[in-house]
Amino acid sequence: MEFSALLTSAGINIGVCVLFLSLYSVLRKQPHNFGVYFGRRLAEEKFQRQDDYFSFERLLPTAGWIVKAYWCTEEEIRQVAGLDSVVFLRLFIFSIRIFSITSLVCIFGVLPVNYHGKEMTHQHIPAESLNVFTIANIIEESPKLWVHCVALYVITISACILLYNEYKYISRKRLAHITGGPPSPGHFTVLVRSIPRSENELLDDTIRNFFVNYHGSSYLSHQMIYRKGHFQKFVDRAERAYRRFVRVRLSMSERNGRSNVSRCGVCGVRASSFQLYRNKFIEAKKSDLTNPEVVEAQKNCPGALVFFKTRYAAVVASQVLQSSNPMLWVTDLAPEPRDVYWSNLWVPYRQIWLRKLATLAASVVFMFVFIIPVAFVQSMMQLEQLKKMFPNLRGLLNKSFFARVVTGYLPSVVLLLSLYTVPPLMMLFSSIEGSISRSGRKRSACLKILFFTVWNVFFVNVLSGSVLNQLNVFTRPKDMPYMLAELVPKQATFFITYVLTSGWASLCSEILQVYNLVYNFFSKFICCCKQNTEYVYSFPYHTEVPKVLLFNLLGFTFSIMAPLILPFLLVYFCLGYLVYRNQILNVYYPKYEMGGKLWPIMHNTIVFSLVLTQVIALGVFTIKHSPVATGFTILLLVGTVLFNEYCRHRFSRIFEAYSAQDVIELDRDDEQSGRMQEIHQHLLDAYSQTPPGEGSSRAGSQVPIEQLIMEDPAQEASESSQELCDTVQEVSDAIHEHAIEEKAHSV
């Protein structure tokens, strides 16, 4: 591939980026698009709608959103979007810092050495092959390889220092998040599964007797986890209807300028009043333990949520074995109410290990099946192969411009489109695994997508020169460093164009919100849908984190092999930092909090990238017959592994468990301030089951913005209007009956 083909690809992507950013700047000003570009602020009622009047100013692109996104402080982002968003943006800050250092070292130090590695007559730079800018242009036994070894040391030491500082900083943020936040129901609650059945007593009594017997001083109460019945479906439908009418009431109140809310049972009932009706129905149903429906429901109960009086008691109960049989009375610290994945709580505990094995096998099979489109993409980069595959296009391919577009731009576009099928499938696998929390499911999907991306985008593309290369990876693993050292520089051109298409263009697609924009247009102007279609989506960490980590891996591995990739990566990280800050502030709402648990994944992946870079460099120095550089690289490799072990022992436990010191101090503060009794009262109504398959859960008795947050845009749209009408009628009847009872009592 010639340097001119790279310039063609870069020019196309720059044009696409400018077009998309200009469109975003205009579209975000249109009132009918506020639900697409300001979803989070609309859900929090912190965004003042503007009248739909015509103005030429709305048709002019501006860069004001960039200024607002850049000057927003980290504390403001944490308050509106949680700690996870801060951790994600810290990954961009780390990437900008390390690749600024790497670009300076490699562009001004390594690149000239590569270019003049062989004594040859150089052509005009646009006509030069990109291979002359890689380490493949260095002759064997060249003393110039010392430059690459020194650059590798500078990059590794700088990365380790920055990684340590980030790990330390984020660890402090996580501890402050745990100790400085409001009391969380998840800190007092333990999920108990695999409960032994007894024919002599109800399961409810079995759970109570067990925890009173073995945790009597700290046990508070418990809540059974039931499968859905007719009564609970009615309650959940009523709650959904109530939430819809709250939104209608708020909208009408703003338009009419009224501050007083009607006390009508349908349009303006208070949340506390509605909660009174709900509790009345539930307590009446629970009190009759001789009811055959209750007995049958408890037989099929998959587990229970057990509430403790202190955080320390809940942490201890979740970490110790409750029985001499490890398969009985299995305990885990419960997720937050908004984070509970209710559907998976009904999965029998004994099936979980089988589900994990099955999903692991399915993921591995899918990884190898995906080799087919990757091999097709690599064949598109070989012009002669394309002429043989498509003889009818030989005339077009003989033209230089078309040849540059096909070999320099289309391969990475085809691979990018193929990768869109991966996240939904990996999220499905993670759901089947049996994770009890939505955040756990998203972390599991993040790891699967990360492994898939690194293997198929990096290793398979590097080794796809022939099937023999791929087989040698498994038959001769000792030769892996030499194979990578030989093949990685040859694939530099493909990965540079991949950064342009999958990196730059994907950021512009993210900020433009193409899918939501099209959906909003069709629902409002084609289907003339009058219902509220403005939903808020949670941030897709499981897709964005692997993407950013892949670009980090590409930056490290090609830093001394093909430094031309570094400027394009640096532009991606700078643009991504601004784009994601804007999206976090305006578009996405934190449905649940992972507490920064994604950072260990980020740290380990970056260290893996450093080690892989050193292994490839070790192979290159060996092939080039530079024993001194090889010896120093081995020392650097050992030092990097030791650094990672130190960080693991120093910080990783902070992200895995709570310390006794922190939870005991929190318990003492709550007891001394008198808040503990209030916390206990809130615990009894903190967790509420939702219908299977729905992506919402209620936290306490709040008017839940969280209920408007969706992971699947089609979930809420699939509910029928007839169900809503029936539910409204049932709620109205219940409120009318309650009013008659109150009137009778007063008389």
Side-chain angles (χ1 to χ4, degrees):
M1 181 178 178
E2 295 181 354
F3 189 76
S4 57
L6 175 62
L7 295 179
T8 301
S9 179
I12 294 173
N13 283 280
I14 290 173
V16 170
C17 289
V18 172
L19 175 63
F20 275 38
L21 293 176
S22 300
L23 281 175
Y24 168 74
S25 179
V26 173
L27 291 174
R28 70 191 299 267
K29 301 176 185 178
Q30 312 309 315
H32 55 268
N33 291 329
F34 286 166
V36 177
Y37 298 117
F38 301 97
R40 186 195 65 81
R41 295 170 63 185
L42 285 173
E44 292 183 342
E45 304 296 336
K46 294 182 178 179
F47 184 79
Q48 185 176 3
R49 292 176 176 270
Q50 303 176 19
D51 296 331
D52 193 3
Y53 62 89
F54 177 77
S55 173
F56 282 106
E57 184 181 355
R58 291 180 178 172
L59 304 178
L60 298 177
T62 57
W65 65 272
I66 298 178
V67 177
K68 293 179 181 179
Y70 179 78
W71 287 110
C72 183
T73 64
E74 188 175 273
E75 181 61 24
E76 292 173 345
I77 293 176
R78 188 195 64 80
Q79 291 177 358
V80 301
L83 181 61
D84 295 324
S85 60
V86 174
V87 171
F88 181 70
L89 293 175
R90 295 300 300 186
L91 176 61
F92 276 93
I93 293 175
F94 165 81
S95 303
I96 292 172
R97 289 173 177 174
I98 186 59
F99 286 109
S100 297
I101 298 172
T102 304
S103 298
L104 289 174
V105 172
C106 295
I107 294 297
F108 296 103
V110 176
L111 187 62
V113 172
N114 290 344
Y115 186 72
H116 298 286
K118 293 180 180 178
E119 294 185 2
M120 57 183 295
T121 303
H122 289 285
Q123 305 177 17
H124 189 53
I125 288 183
E128 289 276 18
S129 172
L130 290 182
N131 289 331
V132 302
F133 298 98
T134 68
I135 200 171
N137 200 46
I138 302 292
I139 61 175
E140 296 183 0
E141 299 181 357
S142 173
K144 296 179 180 179
L145 289 172
W146 265 104
V147 177
H148 299 78
C149 185
V150 172
L152 187 61
Y153 262 81
V154 173
I155 294 169
T156 303
I157 293 174
S158 301
C160 289
I161 293 174
L162 292 174
L163 274 177
Y164 178 81
N165 291 333
E166 291 296 330
Y167 219 149
K168 185 177 180 181
Y169 178 80
I170 294 173
S171 297
R172 289 201 304 264
K173 287 289 185 181
R174 172 169 168 80
L175 292 176
H177 169 75
I178 295 172
T179 59
S184 171
H187 294 167
F188 294 85
T189 310
V190 171
L191 173 65
V192 184
R193 291 177 290 176
S194 192
I195 304 170
R197 265 60 174 176
S198 174
E199 296 181 357
N200 301 327
E201 61 181 357
L202 293 175
L203 196 61
D204 187 76
D205 296 330
T206 301
I207 297 171
R208 181 183 299 105
N209 294 337
F210 180 86
F211 282 95
V212 168
N213 188 22
Y214 297 105
H215 300 272
S217 61
S218 58
Y219 169 73
L220 178 65
S221 179
H222 71 274
Q223 174 182 325
M224 305 291 290
I225 300 172
Y226 294 103
R227 290 186 180 273
K228 288 296 167 181
H230 177 75
F231 164 72
Q232 196 168 4
K233 287 181 179 178
F234 160 73
V235 174
D236 292 325
R237 285 162 50 201
E239 287 182 340
R240 292 200 302 272
Y242 167 71
R243 291 194 299 270
R244 284 195 178 96
F245 280 104
V246 166
R247 290 285 294 176
V248 173
R249 178 202 55 172
L250 292 175
S251 177
M252 294 299 297
S253 175
E254 284 183 359
R255 293 180 182 179
N256 298 333
R258 293 184 287 111
S259 59
N260 296 326
V261 179
S262 173
R263 293 291 298 277
C264 168
V266 175
C267 301
V269 65
R270 294 178 301 173
S272 58
S273 301
F274 184 83
Q275 189 64 24
L276 175 63
Y277 306 139
R278 181 184 185 278
N279 290 339
K280 177 184 175 182
F281 296 147
I282 291 178
E283 293 303 324
K285 197 73 177 179
K286 285 185 177 179
S287 60
D288 187 9
L289 296 177
T290 61
N291 191 312
E293 294 183 8
V294 176
V295 176
E296 183 64 25
Q298 292 203 10
K299 286 183 180 179
N300 298 324
C301 174
L305 295 167
V306 180
F307 307 113
F308 289 84
K309 296 178 181 178
T310 62
R311 299 173 180 86
Y312 180 72
V315 170
V316 171
S318 67
Q319 295 182 356
V320 299
L321 286 176
Q322 302 297 325
S323 171
S324 56
N325 184 352
M327 298 299 291
L328 296 178
W329 296 103
V330 179
T331 56
D332 295 288
L333 202 62
E336 298 301 313
R338 296 182 299 170
D339 193 21
V340 178
Y341 193 43
W342 293 100
S343 299
N344 277 355
L345 296 188
W346 304 331
V347 176
Y349 180 75
R350 297 175 184 271
Q351 292 183 8
I352 291 180
W353 70 276
L354 288 174
R355 288 170 171 261
K356 290 184 177 180
L357 285 178
T359 54
L360 177 62
S363 301
V364 172
V365 169
F366 182 63
M367 287 173 61
F368 282 96
V369 170
F370 204 81
I371 291 177
I372 298 174
V374 174
F376 175 74
V377 166
Q378 284 298 316
S379 66
M380 293 181 65
M381 297 190 65
Q382 307 298 327
L383 193 58
E384 296 301 324
Q385 292 186 17
L386 284 176
K387 291 179 180 179
K388 294 179 181 179
M389 294 171 58
F390 305 101
N392 296 331
L393 301 178
R394 187 180 294 271
L396 287 176
L397 294 176
N398 287 330
K399 298 180 179 180
S400 60
F401 176 77
F402 285 101
R404 292 172 186 173
V405 172
V406 171
T407 60
Y409 183 72
L410 287 184
S412 53
V413 172
V414 173
L415 180 60
L416 177 62
L417 295 176
S418 302
L419 288 173
Y420 278 120
T421 62
V422 178
L425 190 60
M426 293 304 177
M427 183 63 82
L428 175 62
F429 289 161
S430 299
S431 300
I432 296 174
E433 273 185 348
S435 175
I436 62 175
S437 65
R438 298 182 181 276
S439 61
R441 180 184 62 156
K442 187 161 284 190
R443 285 199 305 273
S444 177
C446 178
L447 284 171
K448 289 181 177 63
I449 296 173
L450 178 61
F451 293 149
F452 181 93
T453 306
V454 171
W455 168 253
N456 280 285
V457 176
F458 181 77
F459 285 103
V460 174
N461 273 289
V462 168
L463 302 172
S464 62
S466 66
V467 178
L468 181 61
N469 287 335
Q470 299 173 18
L471 295 177
N472 285 339
V473 175
F474 303 101
T475 58
R476 293 186 299 161
K478 293 183 180 180
D479 296 338
M480 184 74 166
Y482 307 108
M483 295 173 58
L484 290 175
E486 182 180 354
L487 297 173
V488 165
K490 296 179 180 179
Q491 296 296 330
T493 55
F494 168 76
F495 286 111
I496 292 175
T497 57
Y498 181 80
V499 170
L500 292 172
T501 53
S502 180
W504 292 14
S506 66
L507 286 177
C508 296
S509 177
E510 163 65 30
I511 198 169
L512 195 60
Q513 294 285 296
V514 178
Y515 172 80
N516 293 335
L517 187 65
V518 173
Y519 176 78
N520 180 71
F521 175 79
F522 273 90
S523 62
K524 288 188 175 181
F525 299 104
I526 305 299
C527 301
C528 299
C529 185
K530 296 182 180 180
Q531 67 180 13
N532 181 24
T533 58
E534 296 168 356
Y535 297 110
V536 190
Y537 308 106
S538 59
F539 192 88
Y541 291 106
H542 63 295
T543 61
E544 303 310 304
V545 170
K547 186 185 302 181
V548 179
L549 291 176
L550 174 66
F551 289 131
N552 272 272
L553 184 143
L554 295 179
F556 285 120
T557 51
F558 286 97
S559 57
I560 63 173
M561 303 294 163
L564 275 180
I565 198 174
L566 295 174
F568 302 107
L569 277 174
L570 196 57
V571 171
Y572 165 79
F573 290 124
C574 293
L575 181 61
Y577 179 69
L578 295 173
V579 167
Y580 285 115
R581 282 176 73 94
N582 177 79
Q583 300 300 87
I584 287 170
L585 289 171
N586 296 316
V587 178
Y588 298 111
Y589 189 91
K591 183 175 182 180
Y592 39 77
E593 184 70 58
M594 287 184 277
K597 289 184 179 180
L598 286 175
W599 178 254
I601 298 175
M602 301 174 185
H603 173 89
N604 293 333
T605 306
I606 293 172
V607 172
F608 169 78
S609 303
L610 289 173
V611 171
L612 180 63
T613 302
Q614 295 159 10
V615 169
I616 295 174
L618 186 64
V620 170
F621 294 150
T622 303
I623 292 174
K624 300 291 185 180
H625 303 292
S626 179
V628 179
T630 302
F632 276 94
T633 304
I634 293 175
L635 292 177
L636 186 62
L637 182 61
V638 174
T640 305
V641 174
L642 292 177
F643 164 77
N644 185 54
E645 282 298 304
Y646 172 77
C647 289
R648 185 174 66 85
H649 288 286
R650 171 65 178 84
F651 299 113
S652 64
R653 289 285 292 170
I654 297 175
F655 294 83
E656 297 171 0
Y658 300 112
S659 68
Q661 178 183 3
D662 290 333
V663 295
I664 290 175
E665 288 181 356
L666 287 173
D667 290 335
R668 286 175 179 170
D669 291 342
D670 290 335
E671 289 174 355
Q672 292 173 1
S673 62
R675 291 194 303 264
M676 192 62 79
Q677 188 65 29
E678 180 183 350
I679 294 172
H680 291 168
Q681 293 176 357
H682 175 67
L683 280 176
L684 302 179
D685 192 48
Y687 291 86
S688 175
Q689 289 179 246
T690 57
E694 284 203 7
S696 62
S697 63
R698 188 177 60 86
S701 57
Q702 303 170 358
V703 177
I705 289 174
E706 294 81 5
Q707 300 300 340
L708 302 173
I709 304 167
M710 300 167 53
E711 292 189 71
D712 183 1
Q715 285 179 359
E716 198 76 13
S718 64
E719 297 182 357
S720 64
S721 59
Q722 184 62 41
E723 177 192 4
L724 177 59
C725 294
D726 295 341
T727 304
V728 171
Q729 184 63 40
E730 292 176 1
V731 174
S732 301
D733 294 342
I735 294 172
H736 182 64
E737 291 176 4
H738 182 73
I740 294 175
E741 290 178 5
E742 285 188 345
K743 185 176 181 180
H745 286 303
S746 63
V747 173

